[in-house]
Amino acid sequence: MQASNTIQERVHEFLQQYPPFNLVKEDELRTIARQVRVMYLEPEQVLFKQDEAAHDYFYVVRQGSVRMEIVDEKGMQLLDVCDEGDVFGVRALITRKNYSSTAIASEETLLYAIPSSSFAPVLQDNQEVSLYFAAGFAAGASALRRTMSHTHKARVWLRRERNKAPLRLEELVKIAAGNNLLACQPDTPIRLAAKLMTEHDSSFILVWDGQERPVGIVTDTDMRKKVVAGTVTPQDVVSEIMSAPVITIAPEPAMADTLIKMIRNRVKHICVTDDGSLHSKALAVLTEHDLLLAQGNSPAIMVSEIRQTKHIGILPQIRQRAEELLLKYLEQEVKISFIAGVITEINDAIIVRAIQHAEEQLGKPPLRYCWLSMGSEGREEQLLRTDQDSMLVFEDAAAGVVTAAKNYFLQLAALVHEVLESCGFSKCPANMMAGNPEWCQPLSVWKQYYHSWIYAPTDQSLLNASIFFDYRPVYGDFGLSSQLTDNIYESISKERIFLPFLAKNALRNPTPLSFFRNFILERGGEHKDQFDIKLRAMTPLVDAARVLTLQNKVVGENNTIKRFLKLAELEPQNESIYKEAAVAYEIMMRIRALNGLRNHDSGRYIKPEQLSKLERQTLRNTFVTITDIQELLEVRFQLSYIR
């Protein structure tokens, strides 16, 4: 009896380490542990077969590993390998349908078999456990891959249920729409508009037409700058001082879209309309204060501080606050696309302020120019403070003028690099920065660079392409960037061999798993026994997204997640794989950022033992997408014929 109790205690201690059992009440888990059956499987022993009737148990791997295989029109395929703590065979629990795959022990394996009848009441009463299974986390790789997007949403929901937000933005929209919207016609006297704003204690009054469509907005700022300053008189009409056009959004907006739109347009009021456009009825106006209520801490304040500060030395402190905001967002499971958008706006504001500071020091630029960010910042994916990757393009001029201008721009770049380094952005070890004379050139030279890379795709050219094709204008004359982009796409359309070579280059990093289930780790050096998530997992997806968007002539979209989502629209036949790739990359960005914040570094190198069971399981399953995307590239560009 004592031995039996000891076994039950060991089962209980083991189960409570892993999801979903760590979500089960203590007394319920002990009851389940008493009914667990311990099973031993020899290597290659089959536990159940595809199409076999579901058992009365579902299984947890205690020790060893179990392969999940399926036979379809392509033959035998490996779906997943379940190791310690993994749950499988849940059809007995969720549905009485036959098994969709075969389970085979890869080595000597111990299993815990849990009676479905005992666990069913927990599944029914515990919403978190139910959602866990419904999301597909424990149903094997096939279910994981089919429902990865839903799974991510489920995890977000779980986290939010435990950390309730004070107020959602859509609730604020409903509240604002439920109040009488303060609005007037364009011919309303300014004096009357000011009186209405005072009576309603409002910082704005919307200006709309006869069909209640927004045509402008008058704010406290407009009153101060234009009326009090004497530009117009109180007897004039509001159309003389209103800000137009109004920035609009659709009802029930995403916090990300609303906040980033407000930051980018430098406004403190945004109008909600029937369809999100200026051509439909106005429903409500949200203010920056509303967003502060919904968000708790607005990054708009940081961006405003950066733009307005006269003391460049304060920038490092603001960027540190952004790091704290990043951690908060990650802990609250805020969507990565939103986090990346916010951090990009903050980073861009710092770069712009640094450039303005350099111009103040050096005087007016001699020629029109454009500062472009590259790499992760160019793709709007730089969550942590990693390398500075940049390039500078300036307009063509006479030789003597170009020489003097280049000297000015190199000095400007050097000052910018210093400011960014003080903010925690290290200089690029490969010197891929605007301060390098090679990457500070007139437009004509940049066109020659890209022409040579496209028409002579050597190893170095392809390396340069992987860096310099992900640029994004941040400051200056964006027209120079547009001219360069147009020239690049024209060259690619004429030289058809370039994209296949670029696709071949995208296959240089295969799926980062060794013999089914172990991460490929660094063999030596400073990062021995660590996993390089950037090189082995993220770069293959970045490279694939780049070459596929170039092939589809998708202009102006560098972000890897957005690239895959755009590809899903353009190629409906591959919609599933592209959406899976977008979610996989989002998961990788999140795990890397958390790792970097935990270890106070770039997050690139991960110690596998620092990952939770759920993180390891989730990350491992995203690697399947890398294989699928690379197979797509191989077939599309016929890479087997390229040597």
Side-chain angles (χ1 to χ4, degrees), residues 467-488:
I467 299 170
F468 286 91
F469 273 73
D470 290 346
Y471 62 75
R472 181 174 57 84
V474 175
Y475 181 83
D477 186 344
F478 285 18
L480 294 168
S481 173
S482 298
Q483 290 179 57
L484 182 59
T485 300
D486 292 343
N487 184 263
I488 289 170

Side-chain angles (χ1 to χ4, degrees), residues 190-211:
I190 294 172
R191 184 185 297 278
L192 177 57
K195 183 174 182 290
L196 291 170
M197 289 170 64
T198 301
E199 290 174 350
H200 290 81
D201 192 24
S202 175
S203 64
F204 72 91
I205 185 168
L206 185 70
V207 183
W208 59 17
D209 62 16
Q211 295 178 291

Side-chain angles (χ1 to χ4, degrees), residues 165 355 429 498:
I355 296 172
F498 173 67

